[in-house]
Amino acid sequence: MEETSGGPVAEDVRRRILSMLAQGMLRPGSRLGTEREMAETFAVSRSTLRSALLPLSQAGVLERRTGRNGGTFVRADVVQRNAAELVGLPARLHSGGHTSTSRVLGTDRRPATAIEAEALEVPLGTDIFTIRRLRFADGVPLSVDLACFVAGRMNDLLEQPLGGSLYELLQVRYGLTPATTTETIEVVSASPREAQWLDVAHRKPLLAITRVTRDDTGRPFEYAYDLFRADRVRLTATSHGTVGAVQRSVSTTA
């Protein structure tokens, strides 16, 4: 049976949902429930509920997802991020009209692994600080970030407030300003722990961005591995100069 926008009862349900959004009772990414749960909540038939939801889905206010973790959700806007940009994520989100919050999942001081030591250009086993954070855009999980820094260049880093922009903190306290950054981008599958953090299904595709950031002397001070929800971020890239001056490296694995 084809869905329609319904009559006055369906219109009342639509107005109630929009009122909940306006009052902040529902936020981007909020799950309203399954069709049956919502019909019970609003005390209407499932056919009336479908009629109420149709215009909101067509307008991009709501999205309906199928599957085990399905239901009706308040649509969360896609975040646009420039590849290899030198701006911290909070600044990028705010410039795009999004709210930004972070939750520190864990910190550590430990010897650098071979990969970390090579990226940071320090001897194997050099002490590094690691900071893992869950980042939110508009109240919805966006990414899990793991940042590694050479401990000797910022001995009291883990004693500082780490919920905001690390780049701003590094610049103000340690005089470190990002001058260049190199990123490698690939698609990976969410592990059970990553899926729980990001509120996605296990094995859901994620964008993995490995980053090395250097200061104005060319010395690397950050090695990072960020996992973004693929349904919430759009990457853009801009090249300048002639075709011959642009170099791209593409690698594939079987």
Side-chain angles (χ1 to χ4, degrees):
M1 182 176 179
E2 184 177 353
E3 292 181 333
T4 67
S5 59
V9 177
E11 176 63 24
D12 178 65
V13 172
R14 281 196 291 277
R15 291 183 182 276
R16 289 166 66 184
I17 292 174
L18 291 173
S19 176
M20 293 166 72
L21 284 166
Q23 295 175 33
M25 298 169 64
L26 293 174
R27 298 185 58 82
S30 296
R31 182 178 184 273
L32 278 73
T34 64
E35 190 175 274
R36 178 165 54 180
E37 291 168 344
M38 294 180 65
E40 293 176 355
T41 298
F42 292 105
V44 296
S45 68
R46 293 172 70 172
S47 61
T48 297
L49 177 71
R50 285 193 291 268
S51 296
L53 298 181
L54 179 61
L56 297 180
S57 297
Q58 292 174 333
V61 176
L62 303 179
E63 60 177 330
R64 286 184 273 181
R65 306 175 192 168
T66 59
R68 182 178 176 182
N69 297 314
T72 299
F73 295 78
V74 179
R75 184 165 182 169
D77 289 339
V78 172
V79 173
Q80 182 162 303
R81 180 189 185 279
N82 295 325
E85 65 184 0
L86 296 172
V87 177
L89 186 59
R92 162 56 57 191
L93 292 174
H94 292 156
S95 68
H98 304 278
T99 62
S100 170
T101 55
S102 299
R103 180 194 307 163
V104 178
L105 298 174
T107 62
D108 195 12
R109 177 171 185 154
R110 58 169 174 78
T113 65
I115 292 176
E116 294 161 349
E118 181 180 3
L120 291 168
E121 298 179 4
V122 295
L124 181 64
T126 298
D127 269 9
I128 63 169
F129 290 132
T130 65
I131 303 171
R132 190 187 302 274
R133 300 187 298 174
L134 179 59
R135 318 297 290 274
F136 297 83
D138 303 321
V140 182
L142 175 67
S143 67
V144 176
D145 304 348
L146 176 65
C148 306
F149 304 94
V150 180
R153 301 188 70 181
M154 48 196 83
N155 282 319
D156 61 349
L157 175 63
L158 300 188
E159 301 171 19
Q160 307 306 314
L162 303 174
S165 170
L166 291 182
Y167 282 177
E168 290 182 8
L169 172 63
L170 295 176
Q171 183 176 13
V172 171
R173 186 162 185 85
Y174 309 106
L176 290 171
T177 301
T180 63
T181 185
T182 302
E183 292 186 340
T184 301
I185 303 169
E186 58 185 330
V187 178
V188 300
S189 297
S191 69
R193 183 173 64 165
E194 293 159 355
Q196 183 178 18
W197 282 333
L198 292 170
D199 193 22
V200 298
H202 178 211
R203 299 188 184 281
K204 188 79 171 178
L206 303 176
L207 285 181
I209 301 179
T210 303
R211 179 176 65 258
V212 176
T213 306
R214 299 174 181 270
D215 61 22
D216 54 10
T217 69
R219 186 180 180 188
F221 67 84
E222 178 200 33
Y223 171 71
Y225 183 72
D226 303 340
L227 292 172
F228 283 85
R229 281 180 49 166
D231 63 336
R232 294 228 52 214
V233 67
R234 178 187 300 115
L235 291 176
T236 62
T238 302
S239 296
H240 299 281
T242 63
V243 174
V246 178
Q247 181 178 356
R248 293 184 175 88
S249 175
V250 178
S251 62
T252 61
T253 56

